[in-house]
């Protein structure tokens, strides 16, 4: 795969996840990395790469509607002990849109899998996953069990839901609406996922520049926002589908609840969004450490230092020792 470009992100400055280079909020500091773009299939994928300590690799996978920008305050906590990489999923962040793609789970997995294959990585990888990044990460790990050194997960898709009754009541109606014909109006026109759901799922108030970083990839109405519409429609609910993602989730759940040789860290958000469901599903998982931090669904925006310290401690004591 052809490497297209690279530019330095240094302390006090980060490339915002848009099609342009912009200064980011001055509070974002301490991450020293390379911003890279690589051609994958018929698109391009952007990713952050700290490069140093290449004998180890921690892969940070975001979900909907975010990007590698989500990890900007967490990566600095571990970049001195491992190479850190954070891709933008196809059609999201600074990765390209793909004409004709519906951005389904399998579409995203195709591009992400090829990204894994195209980057010079060590044999064993440490996955740090959130939201749909967890679904993609769990699925990749399940298919490549011998390559996974550890998994750290938060607000994660640990299992399919049996029915909508298991979906958090506070978000049930809007997510059902996005899976209905009304979803096009809500998301493709009104941009509800980025403009309303994202900021309301963070305890603190995101500042203007932070919101701009999340809004820019989806500022044009219509197909540019399609990834943020398709993701809610891919949530695996046994009574409502989609059948393929339900089966994938059943498979990775079955593996993870038996994976005694795999160190796992769960960052539990309090109060969180899926926290109660995740705790119930994972309470008997083997080799599974739990740390609680303050946060709603996008806990990285509320407790980045606490997450970063917990991740560093877990990697140094349970994985890199």
């Amino acid at each position: 795969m052809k490497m297209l470009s690279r530019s330095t992100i240094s302390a006090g400055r980060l490339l915002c996840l848009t099609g342009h280079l912009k200064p980011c909020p001055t509070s974002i500091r301490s991450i020293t990395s390379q911003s890279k773009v690589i051609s994958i299939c018929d698109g391009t994928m952007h990713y952050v790469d700290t490069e140093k300590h290449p004998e180890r690799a921690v892969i940070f996978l975001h979900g909907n509607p975010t990007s590698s920008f989500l990890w900007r305050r967490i990566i600095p906590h571990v970049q001195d002990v491992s190479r850190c990489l954070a891709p933008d999923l196809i059609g999201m962040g600074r990765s390209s849109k793909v004409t004709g793609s519906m951005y389904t789970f399998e579409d995203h997995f195709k591009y992400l899998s090829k990204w894994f294959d195209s980057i010079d990585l060590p044999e064993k990888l440490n996955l740090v996953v959130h939201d749909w990044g967890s679904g993609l990460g769990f699925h990749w790990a399940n298919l490549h069990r011998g390559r996974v050194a550890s998994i750290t997960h938060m607000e994660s898709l640990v299992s399919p839901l049996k029915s909508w009754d298991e979906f958090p009541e506070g978000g049930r109606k809007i997510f059902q609406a996005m899976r209905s014909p009304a979803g096009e109006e809500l998301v493709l026109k009104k941009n509800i996922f980025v403009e309303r759901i994202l900021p309301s799922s963070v305890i603190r108030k995101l500042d203007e520049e932070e919101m701009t970083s999340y809004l820019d990839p989806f500022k044009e109405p219509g197909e540019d926002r399609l990834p943020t519409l398709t993701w809610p429609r891919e949530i695996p609910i046994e009574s409502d589908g989609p059948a393929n993602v339900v089966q994938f989730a059943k498979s990775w759940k079955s593996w993870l609840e038996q994976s005694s040789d795999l160190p796992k860290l769960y960052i539990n958000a309090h109060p969180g969004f899926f926290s109660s469901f995740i705790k119930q599903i994972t309470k008997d998982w083997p080799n599974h450490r739990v740390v609680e931090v303050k946060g709603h669904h996008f806990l990285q925006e509320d407790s980045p230092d606490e997450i970063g310290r917990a991740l560093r401690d877990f990697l140094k004591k349970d994985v890199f020792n």
Side-chain angles (χ1 to χ4, degrees):
M1 298 296 177
K2 182 181 178 183
M3 190 72 68
L4 299 179
S5 65
R6 54 193 292 174
S7 56
T8 300
I9 310 175
S10 56
R13 194 173 177 85
L14 188 68
L15 293 181
C16 282
L17 304 186
T18 69
H20 308 282
L21 302 187
K22 291 185 177 181
C24 278
T26 55
S27 60
I28 302 171
R29 302 182 186 280
S30 301
I31 180 168
T32 303
S33 62
Q34 296 289 332
S35 178
K36 302 180 180 180
V37 180
I38 188 170
S39 60
I40 301 290
C41 301
D42 51 351
T44 60
M45 287 185 67
H46 166 266
Y47 63 102
V48 167
D49 184 354
T50 61
E51 297 190 326
K52 294 182 179 180
H53 308 288
E55 71 280 4
R56 298 168 174 166
V58 180
I59 312 297
F60 295 80
L61 299 178
H62 71 87
N64 188 33
T66 60
S67 62
S68 56
F69 185 75
L70 184 72
W71 303 109
R72 67 196 181 280
R73 293 189 177 100
I74 296 169
I75 289 174
H77 287 273
V78 294
Q79 66 182 5
D80 67 323
V81 296
S82 176
R83 182 184 179 192
C84 298
L85 302 98
D88 293 342
L89 298 178
I90 197 69
M92 307 182 75
R94 294 185 69 199
S95 292
S96 68
K97 309 296 181 182
V98 178
T99 302
S101 176
M102 292 302 294
Y103 302 103
T104 64
F105 182 93
E106 293 197 63
D107 290 335
H108 279 286
F109 190 72
K110 178 182 75 171
Y111 284 89
L112 183 61
S113 294
K114 289 187 180 295
W115 178 83
F116 272 105
D117 293 341
S118 302
I119 307 298
D120 184 17
L121 296 171
E123 181 63 21
K124 290 279 192 174
L125 304 176
N126 300 276
L127 304 182
V128 180
V129 298
H130 173 253
D131 191 85
W132 275 108
S134 70
L136 294 167
F138 290 154
H139 188 45
W140 188 90
N142 192 22
L143 297 177
H144 303 84
R145 298 180 185 182
R147 294 201 60 194
V148 186
S150 73
I151 296 178
T152 297
H153 64 106
M154 54 203 87
E155 283 292 294
S156 42
L157 293 163
V158 294
S159 169
L161 285 71
K162 288 183 171 57
S163 71
W164 279 103
D165 290 340
E166 291 188 324
F167 198 89
E169 186 175 1
R172 193 178 302 156
K173 287 185 178 179
I174 188 62
F175 274 81
Q176 287 175 321
M178 287 188 287
R179 287 168 72 114
S180 77
E184 278 72 9
E185 173 76 18
L186 289 169
V187 178
L188 301 187
K189 292 185 179 180
K190 294 183 177 180
N191 206 19
I192 191 173
F193 217 113
V194 187
E195 295 189 19
R196 290 181 54 188
I197 295 176
L198 169 61
S200 68
S201 301
V202 178
I203 294 175
R204 70 178 179 89
K205 180 178 175 59
L206 294 173
D207 67 35
E208 183 179 350
E209 290 180 290
E210 289 171 324
M211 276 303 299
T212 296
S213 295
Y214 287 126
L215 284 165
D216 272 352
F218 310 110
K219 61 186 176 184
E220 296 299 328
E223 289 196 9
D224 275 7
R225 297 173 181 171
L226 187 56
T228 68
L229 174 62
T230 300
W231 276 131
R233 295 174 170 181
E234 295 289 280
I235 295 171
I237 302 173
E238 292 183 33
S239 63
D240 196 31
N244 62 331
V245 187
V246 168
Q247 290 304 312
F248 295 151
K250 285 183 176 180
S251 180
W252 72 58
K253 174 180 179 289
S254 177
W255 167 58
L256 288 167
E257 62 190 13
Q258 301 175 56
S259 56
S260 58
D261 59 342
L262 177 67
K264 295 174 288 295
L265 170 65
Y266 168 42
I267 309 288
N268 177 58
H270 180 75
F273 186 66
F274 289 113
S275 295
S276 297
F277 180 76
I278 297 169
K279 284 188 288 187
Q280 176 63 30
I281 295 295
T282 64
K283 61 183 175 62
D284 294 323
W285 279 13
N287 205 352
H288 190 236
R289 186 194 292 200
V290 180
V291 174
E292 184 172 291
V293 304
K294 179 181 71 175
H296 286 315
H297 185 63
F298 299 100
L299 60 161
Q300 299 89 341
E301 293 292 356
D302 286 313
S303 298
D305 293 331
E306 293 84 352
I307 294 169
R309 287 193 293 266
L311 174 60
R312 180 188 178 88
D313 184 68
F314 166 69
L315 291 173
K316 292 188 72 174
K317 291 181 178 179
D318 294 5
V319 185
F320 296 160
N321 56 10

